[in-house]
Amino acid sequence: DAGVIQSPRHEVTEMGQEVTLRCKPISGHDYLFWYRQTMMRGLELLIYFNNNVPIDDSGMPEDRFSAKMPNASFSTLKIQPSEPRDSAVYFCASSLKRSIDPYEQYFGPGTRLTVT
Amino acid sequence: KNQVEQSPQSLIILEGKNCTLQCNYTVSPFSNLRWYKQDTGRGPVSLTIMTFSENTKSNGRYTATLDADTKQSSLHITASQLSDSASYICVVSGRSRDDKIIFGKGTRLHILP
């Protein structure tokens, strides 16, 4: 398996533009997580899905952020409109079960977003 | 408020030396604690996981300890190698109804030749 795949790896955009980040989880995994990582705040859980259904989106910073999982092999995180403070590395992770038990989360390589 | 605090924020040691990273948490009730290694430009990779009843777990040169009474964990690296240069992140999962996963901000470790 190729692991969790994220695209693009790098994104530079201007303030106000729409940004869409993409994730393909590991085949067979039924949990998918979106994280944001910055130097100041570290890793933050934004939202997670179970069997394509959003379970907890309490980490989504504001209405400008939205996430979808139309099927078991694809998810998107959209920011509209983007702002400079959204600049961060966004990680997608998947697991067989939530990491509350021994099943661990497997992280993708991340998308480095820069909003100018 | 559930928190995970890691120390030191960064650490520089010579190749071959040992080091210990600390993680203190306030998450309660506690379910498990995991240490991740994150190489520059890559996603975190799990090193160890410990539940409430475990107090030591090893993975090669990495040994994690857990004191659930004092809510402290440490990650000890023996005979460090240049490839150990990375960020080490402590992650604690709660057993509460909403089962929050709390990430520490990590310790940045630099190994010098």
Side-chain angles (χ1 to χ4, degrees):
Chain A
D1 198 314
V4 176
I5 299 173
Q6 291 186 248
S7 65
R9 292 295 311 276
H10 302 273
E11 178 79 35
V12 180
T13 190
E14 291 183 347
M15 182 175 63
Q17 296 299 305
E18 178 180 293
V19 175
T20 300
L21 311 181
R22 298 173 177 79
C23 175
K24 176 179 168 52
I26 292 174
S27 177
H29 283 190
D30 53 359
Y31 280 86
L32 184 140
F33 306 79
W34 280 102
Y35 294 90
R36 177 173 66 177
Q37 186 176 40
T38 62
M39 288 290 291
M40 289 295 294
R41 300 172 67 95
L43 265 169
E44 300 173 280
L45 176 63
L46 300 176
I47 185 173
Y48 77 90
F49 296 81
N50 175 222
N51 291 323
N52 314 337
V53 177
I55 303 300
D56 183 356
D57 65 353
S58 60
M60 296 286 262
E62 48 198 276
D63 292 344
R64 297 184 298 108
F65 286 69
S66 63
K68 295 181 180 179
M69 193 165 185
N71 57 62
S73 59
F74 183 67
S75 177
T76 60
L77 178 67
K78 186 174 295 187
I79 309 172
Q80 167 61 22
S82 58
E83 296 181 3
R85 59 194 170 114
D86 300 331
S87 297
V89 180
Y90 291 81
F91 287 102
C92 176
S94 70
S95 71
L96 280 172
K97 292 178 69 173
R98 286 213 45 204
S99 68
I100 191 171
D101 48 43
Y103 296 94
E104 69 178 276
Q105 296 181 29
Y106 293 82
F107 283 78
T111 295
R112 181 173 293 278
L113 174 64
T114 302
V115 183
T116 60
Chain B
K1 180 182 178 182
N2 289 327
Q3 288 186 313
V4 176
E5 300 288 341
Q6 291 189 243
S7 62
Q9 191 171 26
S10 64
L11 181 63
I12 302 174
I13 64 172
L14 293 176
E15 185 180 13
K17 299 296 186 182
N18 303 335
C19 67
T20 301
L21 314 180
Q22 299 290 341
C23 174
N24 296 340
Y25 63 93
T26 59
V27 178
S28 182
F30 167 84
S31 176
N32 64 69
L33 183 148
R34 192 185 292 275
W35 283 93
Y36 280 90
K37 178 186 179 188
Q38 184 177 17
D39 292 316
T40 300
R42 309 189 74 155
V45 175
S46 178
L47 291 176
T48 65
I49 180 172
M50 288 183 291
T51 58
F52 182 87
S53 59
E54 299 174 298
N55 52 31
T56 301
K57 186 164 283 188
S58 292
N59 178 359
R61 295 180 296 102
Y62 300 101
T63 299
T65 65
L66 173 65
D67 186 332
D69 291 331
T70 61
K71 294 183 170 58
Q72 296 179 327
S73 176
S74 65
L75 180 68
H76 186 75
I77 304 175
T78 304
S80 61
Q81 299 176 359
L82 296 178
S83 60
D84 293 331
S85 293
S87 288
Y88 292 83
I89 302 171
C90 175
V91 185
V92 181
S93 295
R95 204 199 300 272
S96 61
R97 182 177 179 180
D98 50 359
D99 293 337
K100 292 297 185 185
I101 301 172
I102 312 296
F103 286 76
K105 292 183 180 180
T107 292
R108 179 67 190 169
L109 177 64
H110 300 268
I111 309 297
L112 299 179

